């Protein structure tokens, strides 16, 4: 076993991806069931995501789903990857996480992102626009203030005030600088763009200011990791998501995951094929030995303390097998 891998925490973000021929309800139950399996395998935390109006994603209410996951598990940490803060009032977010922490003390994480709705229609439905993402840093400080009881409104967030729910910043774009200034742990991806990821990590460590939430930098790297008996089987795990991404780039909507065998039989346009092949490239995928070597390399390069695995695929049994094989590495 690699010593650097053995010293690293491994966690999972499950996006509750819908699958062709299956319902949104099944996708949500799949997330809860996977969390139970991940807990038994010894993963550190499991997170859920926030998407609105996306046909391929059932997870639209992450704090609600996190409650279901926490209620179905006993020890694994549970959180969000993330709540998109510009979509919400910080008081309401504080109240929701206060309820979660009160019900499941010591197990809840508050992963926070700065994205707004995927399309103009979704943003309009949420009462938001693209510029709201620019207010993320102020919203973040406002949210943390509700836990500390420092809101200038004179209002107190119940039951959040006085509780400590670890906050994490999802570092896309300006996120690394914001996480550093706020003195918060950072989640950064993805593993396919190592240079950009390393620049963000270096900036974060250089400019980090200790805070009541974190005394030193804490880096979580995120991305797709697929492990199987052969490199070919590992690659097939990547096929459904790669095609869904290619379809979204060429048709403007993000669809449910198709079976790998259907994608492999598709006649694609040159444009679709280009996006599809790009979607298959650069991930950490292969046999246990290959993945261990690649992970050891990236962990030594980044000095990250944790890996957040974000793999999505149609075949849930193959996905669980991948997580079992990955767990054997540490």
């Amino acid at each position: 076993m690699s010593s650097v891998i053995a010293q690293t925490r491994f966690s999972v973000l499950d996006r509750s991806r819908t699958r062709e021929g299956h319902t949104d309800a099944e996708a949500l139950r799949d997330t809860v069931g996977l969390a139970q399996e991940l807990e038994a395998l010894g993963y550190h935390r499991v997170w859920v995501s926030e998407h609105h109006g996306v046909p391929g994603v059932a997870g639209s209410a992450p704090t609600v789903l996190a409650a279901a996951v926490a209620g179905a598990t006993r020890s694994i940490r549970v959180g969000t990857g993330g709540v998109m803060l510009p979509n919400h009032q910080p008081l309401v977010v504080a109240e929701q996480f206060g309820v979660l922490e009160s019900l499941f003390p010591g197990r809840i994480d508050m992963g926070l992102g700065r994205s707004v709705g995927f399309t103009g229609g979704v943003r309009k439905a949420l009462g938001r626009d693209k510029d709201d993402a620019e207010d993320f840093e102020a919203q973040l400080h406002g949210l943390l203030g509700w836990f500390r009881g420092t809101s200038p409104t004179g209002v107190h967030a119940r039951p959040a005030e006085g509780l400590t729910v670890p906050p994490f910043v999802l570092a896309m774009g300006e996120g690394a600088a914001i996480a550093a200034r706020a003195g918060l742990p950072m989640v950064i991806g993805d593993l396919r763009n190592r240079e950009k990821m390393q620049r963000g990590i270096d900036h974060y460590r250089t400019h980090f200011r200790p805070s009541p939430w974190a005394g030193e930098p804490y880096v979580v790297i995120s991305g797709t990791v697929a492990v199987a008996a052969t490199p070919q089987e590992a690659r097939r795990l990547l096929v459904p998501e790669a095609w869904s991404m290619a379809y979204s780039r060429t048709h403007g909507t993000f669809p449910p995951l198709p079976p790998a065998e259907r994608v492999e039989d598709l006649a694609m346009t040159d444009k679709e094929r280009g996006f599809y092949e790009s979607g298959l490239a650069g991930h950490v995928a292969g046999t246990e030995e290959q993945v261990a070597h690649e992970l050891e390399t990236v962990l030594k390069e980044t000095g990250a303390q944790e890996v957040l695995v974000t793999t999505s695929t149609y075949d849930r049994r193959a996905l669980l097998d991948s997580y079992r094989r990955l767990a054997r590495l540490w």
Side-chain angles (χ1 to χ4, degrees):
M1 180 191 295
S2 160
S3 60
V4 68
I5 291 176
Q7 293 164 10
T8 302
R9 289 169 167 168
F10 282 81
S11 301
V12 171
L13 167 65
D14 192 72
R15 291 193 178 91
S16 305
R17 292 286 275 114
T18 54
R19 298 179 291 153
E20 284 185 3
H22 297 265
T23 65
D24 288 342
E26 284 179 272
L28 296 169
R29 286 194 289 267
D30 283 343
T31 294
V32 175
L34 179 63
Q36 293 171 318
E37 298 280 3
L38 295 170
E39 180 175 70
L41 290 170
Y43 282 84
H44 183 61
R45 61 181 112 237
V46 59
W47 281 6
V48 298
S49 63
E50 174 182 337
H51 295 274
H52 299 283
V54 180
V57 185
S60 56
T63 54
V64 177
L65 184 53
V69 170
T73 53
R74 293 183 178 181
S75 59
I76 195 169
R77 296 194 65 86
V78 178
T80 55
V83 164
M84 297 302 151
L85 200 49
N87 290 338
H88 309 280
Q89 290 295 333
L91 170 61
V92 175
V93 176
E95 290 171 337
Q96 291 173 345
F97 279 98
V99 169
L100 284 169
E101 177 64 21
S102 298
L103 292 172
F104 309 102
R107 292 181 56 203
I108 301 301
D109 301 321
M110 186 166 57
L112 304 163
R114 63 191 295 267
S115 298
V116 289
F118 187 59
T119 66
V122 170
R123 291 190 292 273
K124 185 176 180 181
L126 290 169
R128 299 291 187 269
D129 59 45
K130 283 185 177 180
D131 293 341
D132 287 318
E134 303 307 314
D135 296 330
F136 174 74
E137 191 163 9
Q139 294 166 334
L140 177 64
H141 286 292
L143 171 60
L144 299 180
W146 289 114
F147 288 91
R148 292 287 184 235
T150 57
S151 170
T153 64
V155 176
H156 297 275
R158 310 292 186 198
E161 189 173 308
L163 297 179
T164 298
V165 182
F168 294 74
V169 173
L170 275 60
M172 308 300 282
E174 291 297 309
I178 292 170
R181 286 193 293 268
L184 299 180
M186 176 184 72
V187 182
I188 189 166
D190 74 37
L191 292 169
R192 293 190 300 167
N193 193 339
R194 306 281 175 85
E195 268 188 42
K196 183 179 178 183
M197 186 172 72
Q198 191 65 54
R199 285 197 303 272
I201 292 170
D202 291 344
H203 181 95
Y204 169 70
R205 289 207 175 100
T206 300
H207 295 90
F208 183 86
R209 301 174 184 168
S211 74
W213 301 93
E216 56 188 30
Y218 188 89
V219 174
V220 184
I221 55 174
S222 69
T224 295
V225 180
V227 197
T230 67
Q232 293 75 23
E233 288 177 61
R235 188 178 188 275
R236 291 192 91 231
L237 279 167
L238 308 175
V239 164
E241 186 74 29
W243 170 245
S244 290
M245 290 297 294
Y247 188 93
S248 73
R249 297 289 295 275
T250 52
H251 294 77
T253 184
F254 197 62
L257 293 172
E261 56 269 21
R262 188 173 81 71
V263 176
E264 290 166 342
D265 290 339
L266 282 174
M268 301 184 195
T269 66
D270 289 344
K271 190 174 183 180
E272 287 171 339
R273 177 69 63 181
F275 284 129
Y276 171 65
E277 293 294 343
S278 174
L280 288 171
H283 301 289
V284 177
T287 63
E288 289 169 44
E289 184 178 351
Q290 290 170 324
V291 167
H293 175 74
E294 190 69 23
L295 283 174
E296 186 170 19
T297 299
V298 72
L299 288 169
K300 286 178 177 176
E301 288 174 355
T302 62
Q305 289 99 325
E306 187 169 342
V307 177
L308 181 70
V309 184
T310 62
T311 311
S312 297
T313 195
Y314 180 89
D315 187 338
R316 298 291 293 193
R317 274 189 287 189
L319 180 63
L320 179 57
D321 181 65
S322 176
Y323 284 130
R324 285 194 184 115
R325 290 175 182 274
L326 179 59
R328 288 208 284 260
L329 302 184
W330 44 268

